[in-house]
Amino acid sequence: DIQMTQSPASLSASLEEIVTITCQASQDIGNWLSWYQQKPGKSPQLLIYGATSLADGVPSRFSGSRSGTQYSLKISRLQVEDIGIYYCLQAYSAPPTFGGGTKLELK
Amino acid sequence: EVQLVESGGGLVQPGRSLKLSCLASGFTFSNYGMNWIRQAPGKGLEWVASISSSSSYIYYADTVKGRFTISRDNAKNTLYLQMTSLRSEDTALYYCARRGYFDFWGPGTMVTVSS
């Protein structure tokens, strides 16, 4: 199985700050990487698919990038509604595997 | 508007069975692969099973293989998960999600396995 190592596990940031979360794949997954946001008590919401494509309705302050087998989610100017837990997912090969999650809090 | 609504969860004793449903609307259900993903209380996300649009391809996580069965009825726009020989470690919120990269998720249905 492909392992997705997500970091950091938790992150405290200030409003308007730039936030970056990364996922390291244990092998090549191409662009088969998605990012999700989960707010408390809610189901996950797709933010980024294909490593860099913004899902419909997602604010443009969210962006995704890839460097080899390392993938990053960037929030350019943190807003209060961005608080939650973020997960990456590789869908390159079965079984699909999630990163462990990053809990994003306001400082 | 794409909507997925899970149902069928509840409290069940270890070793017993439960069948979950996911009713889809707002899109052509028969055109999309579907998935079940679960989340144990306070934990991360775990993929459970996937089924292709015509049920030709089915995959399971090793943790549920041989105990869970994913199926679908395209005429009823409904996805199912038949769970047997339930264990305490199957306790989780079960989500259905659309297509290979899980673009839409339902709100989930809670399954609690306890005596």
Side-chain angles (χ1 to χ4, degrees):
Chain A
D1 298 359
I2 297 175
Q3 307 302 316
M4 301 301 298
T5 303
Q6 188 170 340
S7 61
S10 64
L11 177 57
S12 181
S14 303
L15 289 176
E16 303 291 324
E17 188 174 334
I18 296 173
V19 170
T20 302
I21 299 167
T22 64
C23 268
Q24 179 70 48
S26 61
Q27 63 186 74
D28 178 36
I29 60 170
N31 286 330
W32 292 89
L33 190 286
S34 306
W35 290 97
Y36 304 84
Q37 176 195 61
Q38 186 175 32
K39 296 183 180 181
K42 300 294 185 181
S43 53
Q45 177 188 357
L46 178 68
L47 299 174
I48 301 287
Y49 64 96
T52 60
S53 297
L54 197 65
D56 290 345
V58 176
S60 58
R61 63 180 179 274
F62 290 92
S63 64
S65 63
R66 170 193 175 189
S67 176
T69 56
Q70 181 166 287
Y71 300 80
S72 298
L73 173 71
K74 177 182 171 182
I75 308 173
S76 60
R77 295 172 62 183
L78 185 67
Q79 303 296 304
V80 65
E81 58 266 30
D82 300 335
I83 298 314
I85 301 177
Y86 290 79
Y87 295 94
C88 64
L89 166 78
Q90 73 79 20
Y92 175 76
S93 68
T97 44
F98 291 92
T102 295
K103 187 174 184 179
L104 177 57
E105 298 175 320
L106 268 181
K107 188 181 293 181
Chain B
E1 178 193 5
V2 172
Q3 285 199 321
L4 299 169
V5 180
E6 303 90 342
S7 61
L11 174 63
V12 61
Q13 293 179 327
R16 303 297 291 265
S17 300
L18 203 61
K19 187 172 186 177
L20 307 183
S21 299
C22 169
L23 179 62
S25 61
F27 65 102
T28 304
F29 181 70
S30 59
N31 286 350
Y32 290 86
M34 296 294 295
N35 310 271
W36 288 100
I37 300 108
R38 68 185 180 184
Q39 187 170 34
K43 301 297 185 182
L45 300 167
E46 179 190 14
W47 169 79
V48 173
S50 298
I51 186 168
S52 63
S53 57
S54 60
S55 305
S56 298
Y57 300 97
I58 289 175
Y59 303 94
Y60 297 99
D62 287 344
T63 52
V64 306
K65 199 174 294 182
R67 300 187 300 122
F68 290 11
T69 301
I70 188 172
S71 63
R72 63 190 296 160
D73 185 335
N74 286 344
K76 295 183 177 179
N77 290 345
T78 304
L79 175 72
Y80 301 101
L81 186 67
Q82 176 70 54
M83 304 184 294
T84 64
S85 302
L86 282 162
R87 308 166 180 168
S88 58
E89 54 264 37
D90 296 318
T91 294
L93 186 60
Y94 283 74
Y95 298 104
C96 64
R98 191 181 77 163
R99 76 187 301 174
Y101 58 88
F102 312 160
D103 61 348
F104 285 95
W105 299 56
T109 187
M110 186 68 200
V111 173
T112 303
V113 184
S114 175
S115 54

